[in-house]
Amino acid sequence: MAKVTERRIVTQEWYETEYSKTGWDSHGWVFDDGRIIGTTWTVVEHIHSDKFGNPFIGVAEREADV
């Protein structure tokens, strides 16, 4: 059985809150279809951040058997 590295673009929406340390909070990384990336995926690169330094577009990857 061979292993391949699967890579997908993920997004994260940030919102202002009075309860977090930085004043900003997020619901976490999601795929474009709205699914949360889960524990098998790892965000390996931040492609774009907002003006406050919050990353909102990234690359997630995982190893899969084929």
Side-chain angles (χ1 to χ4, degrees):
M1 193 172 292
K3 290 203 179 267
V4 296
T5 301
E6 185 178 0
R7 294 172 60 98
R8 291 183 65 183
I9 299 293
V10 290
T11 57
Q12 182 171 211
E13 290 187 29
W14 290 89
Y15 55 93
E16 194 169 6
T17 176
E18 60 190 58
Y19 302 108
S20 68
K21 182 175 147 185
T22 61
W24 294 94
D25 210 345
S26 173
H27 294 296
W29 294 98
V30 296
F31 297 116
D32 286 342
D33 60 7
R35 291 184 301 142
I36 296 173
I37 68 170
T39 58
T40 60
W41 291 87
T42 302
V43 177
V44 295
E45 181 180 351
H46 296 148
I47 297 173
H48 195 67
S49 299
D50 65 14
K51 65 181 180 179
F52 302 104
N54 299 314
F56 68 91
I57 299 176
V59 177
E61 67 180 31
R62 72 174 175 179
E63 291 218 345
D65 294 323
V66 289

